[in-house]
Each structure stands twice: as C-alpha cells, then as structure tokens.
Amino acid sequence: QDCTQKYIVKNYFYYYLFKFSAALGEEIFYITFLPFTYWNIDHSVSRRMIIVWSIVMYIGQVSKDILKWPRPLSPPVVKLEMRTNAEYGMPSTHAMAATAISFSFFIATMNQYKYPFELGLVAAFVFSTLVCLSRLYTGMHTVLDVIGGALISAGLLVLLYPAWDTIDHLLLTSPFCPLFSIVVPLVLCYNYPKLDCYSPTRGDTTTILGAAAGATVGFWLNNQYAASAYTSKSAQPGFPAITSTMVFVLARFLVGILVVLLTRWVMKSVVLGMLGYRYKFPIRDLAARRRLEIEVPYKFVTYSCVGFTATVIVPLLHELLGLM
C-alpha cells in the first residue's frame, strides 16, 4: 500500500515550478483559462478547445479505468499529491489535457492571428512539456504514463482536426444541439466503467462533461438569439492587448470569474441539498456523495450551470456593465 512519506525540498525552484505546472492540468486552470479565452480572445477558439478537451479527457479517464495500470509505488517514489492517488495511472490525463489544450489553441489561432509560427509551436510544446514533467516530479506517473497520454492526445487531435468546422457548425446551428449536448454526456456518465473500489475519475469526468454540456448549450443559444457566432466582435483579428486596454480585459475576467465561482458555490449547495432531502443523507456525508445516484447528478448539474453561466450570463453582464 502507498504511504505518506516525509521529504525535504532541496531545490525550491524545481519544487514550485512543477507544483505550479501540475496545477495547469487541474480544475483551477480549466475554470479560469477556458472562460478567459471566450471572454477576451475568440469565441471560435474557445469552442474548439472545449470540444477537444471534453473528448480527450473522457477517453483518457475511461482508458485509466479499463487498463487499471497502477501508479508508481510509494516508497520508493515520493508522492507530492494525495487527491488523485486513488486513480489508476495509464494514461496521464494531465499530459493529455495539456497537450490537447495547448496545441488546439495553437492550431485554432495560427491562421487567425499574426504571430510567428515558431513562437506558437514552442509555446505549446513548452506548456505541455512542463505539465508532463510535473507528473514525474510529483511522483504521480511513470514516464510511460506521460508519453502514452501525450501520444493519445496528439492522435486524437489529428483525428478531430478535419472535423472541427463541421462539428462546430452543427453545435451552433442544429436544432437538436441542446438535447444532444445534455443527453449524450449524461448517458456516458451513468454508464461509466464500474470499479471494485472508489476512484475520483467518474466524478472528474462528470465535472468535465457537465461543464462542456452547459457551455455547448450556451454557444447554441448565443448563436440563435444573440449575435451570430460567425460575426461576433470576438471573432475579429487581433488579440485583446491590441484591440482593447488591459484594464477592460482584467475587468471582464474578474467580473466573470467571480460570477462563475458564485454559480458553482450556489449550485453545489442547492443540488446537494435537494439530493440529500431525496435520498436522506447528510450533505457532509462523503461516502453518500460518492454513490452513482448522487455523484453524477450533483456534479453534472452544478458544472453544466457553470458552463452555461460562463458563456451566456457573464457576457450579458459584461454588456450591461459596458465592458464589451
């Protein structure tokens, strides 16, 4: 069995660099960077990243629980994280997410914005490499886990890229998009591979698919009833540093992230309260919250509301406050 080990940090530069890099593959990064892109850079880029991110992460999480490859043993490995230790190791979903997000951002922007191709390629490579190396430094994955995750993500990007425009067009214009965006992720969450013991992978997968579902419904609504996604101001060339002042960029981000975090807190409390009343369990009962009938609706509803708020409510608030 794994055990917690005491350790001494001898190189604080590497320690904080890789602890920070590890956070770039976690919820705190997703919930800030993806909305920031939508609010301040380009709607189409954000849509493509979210589509790729949700597909890649679902395949990665399911692969873990099908392969059931263990994480590195501790000892001898010193593990600097405990939350994800209950998950299996292969493939590294941190490596998959970092590769998918960085390279999908690069691919989606290289033909829309004027910047050196080499600079974008190096930035994507450095970002994904730092996250991959952080998984080795923190003792959470083997080299094979990380390489496998990066290669799977790269392969999926190659397969998805030719269909990007078609998928994006269907999600924006099809009358069945809202129904499809909610029903398909829910079915996938409820039919997630069963494990002998609890793992946070099902909950994390539900969080990701829920956020993507809410955002996709928001994209569709914006295209149907607000400004067309193809003619929005966000789709025009030029990064925000050029077309707008950094004060407006920062204001949009701060207002948006406060509303998103407030939405998450409120929905967690409301949904858990309703489920607790329905299934007769205390809200703080962690074991009850891990049950399928609790975990899936609780996380799916909460994060679909987060995705919807980020794509519909926050832009309306930005317009109301004169931040557009």
Side-chain angles (χ1 to χ4, degrees), residues 242-260:
I242 299 173
T243 60
S244 181
T245 66
M246 293 306 295
V247 173
F248 272 80
V249 171
L250 184 60
R252 281 194 292 267
F253 175 72
L254 291 177
V255 169
I257 206 65
L258 285 174
V259 173
V260 165

Side-chain angles (χ1 to χ4, degrees), residues 63-124:
S63 298
K64 277 186 179 184
D65 291 337
I66 291 176
L67 293 174
K68 298 182 179 180
W69 286 21
R71 290 185 182 271
L73 293 178
S74 176
V77 170
V78 176
K79 293 185 178 178
L80 305 185
E81 297 177 10
M82 283 293 107
R83 180 191 173 274
T84 58
N85 196 40
E87 298 179 8
Y88 291 107
M90 177 68 175
S92 166
T93 45
H94 273 72
M96 293 184 71
T99 303
I101 288 177
S102 59
F103 280 93
S104 61
F105 181 81
F106 167 59
I107 294 168
T109 58
M110 66 180 182
N111 293 324
Q112 296 192 44
Y113 302 104
K114 294 181 179 180
Y115 63 83
F117 174 86
E118 295 79 5
L119 178 63
L121 183 62
V122 169

Side-chain angles (χ1 to χ4, degrees), residues 178-297:
L179 181 64
F180 179 87
S181 300
I182 297 298
V183 171
V184 172
L186 268 178
V187 170
L188 293 176
C189 292
Y190 274 107
N191 290 276
Y192 193 82
K194 293 180 173 60
L195 297 175
D196 297 330
C197 57
Y198 177 78
S199 167
T201 48
R202 184 183 65 200
D204 291 344
T205 303
T206 305
T207 294
I208 292 165
L209 294 185
T216 303
V217 173
F219 297 150
W220 184 85
L221 280 175
N222 287 337
N223 192 60
Q224 297 296 316
Y225 301 106
S228 171
Y230 294 111
T231 59
S232 66
K233 293 180 181 179
S234 301
Q236 302 301 317
F239 282 106
I242 299 173
T243 60
S244 181
T245 66
M246 293 306 295
V247 173
F248 272 80
V249 171
L250 184 60
R252 281 194 292 267
F253 175 72
L254 291 177
V255 169
I257 206 65
L258 285 174
V259 173
V260 165
L261 293 176
L262 179 63
T263 300
R264 185 178 67 163
W265 177 73
V266 170
M267 292 310 301
K268 274 187 175 182
S269 303
V270 170
V271 176
L272 271 179
M274 294 174 65
L275 290 171
Y277 178 79
R278 168 65 177 82
Y279 291 101
K280 311 300 180 186
F281 70 91
I283 292 179
R284 297 186 180 276
D285 187 345
L286 186 59
R289 287 163 58 173
R290 290 175 172 178
R291 287 155 42 191
L292 175 68
E293 66 271 22
I294 307 297
E295 185 175 59
V296 170

Side-chain angles (χ1 to χ4, degrees), residues 1-134:
Q1 290 184 345
D2 292 331
C3 61
T4 303
Q5 292 178 276
K6 293 182 179 180
Y7 57 88
I8 298 174
V9 178
K10 294 182 178 180
N11 190 315
Y12 281 95
F13 174 76
Y14 287 143
Y15 178 78
Y16 288 113
L17 172 65
F18 290 124
K19 289 286 282 185
F20 172 77
S21 300
L24 297 179
E26 297 174 356
E27 181 184 353
I28 186 65
F29 175 73
Y30 304 145
I31 209 170
T32 53
F33 178 72
L34 294 176
F36 177 88
T37 305
Y38 188 76
W39 300 329
N40 290 302
I41 298 180
D42 193 308
H43 289 179
S44 66
V45 172
S46 181
R47 291 196 305 270
R48 283 160 172 77
M49 283 198 299
I50 289 174
I51 291 168
V52 171
W53 169 65
S54 58
I55 293 173
V56 164
M57 288 299 288
Y58 175 77
I59 292 174
Q61 297 284 62
V62 169
S63 298
K64 277 186 179 184
D65 291 337
I66 291 176
L67 293 174
K68 298 182 179 180
W69 286 21
R71 290 185 182 271
L73 293 178
S74 176
V77 170
V78 176
K79 293 185 178 178
L80 305 185
E81 297 177 10
M82 283 293 107
R83 180 191 173 274
T84 58
N85 196 40
E87 298 179 8
Y88 291 107
M90 177 68 175
S92 166
T93 45
H94 273 72
M96 293 184 71
T99 303
I101 288 177
S102 59
F103 280 93
S104 61
F105 181 81
F106 167 59
I107 294 168
T109 58
M110 66 180 182
N111 293 324
Q112 296 192 44
Y113 302 104
K114 294 181 179 180
Y115 63 83
F117 174 86
E118 295 79 5
L119 178 63
L121 183 62
V122 169
F125 180 79
V126 169
F127 178 91
S128 56
T129 299
L130 280 175
V131 176
C132 290
L133 290 177
S134 75

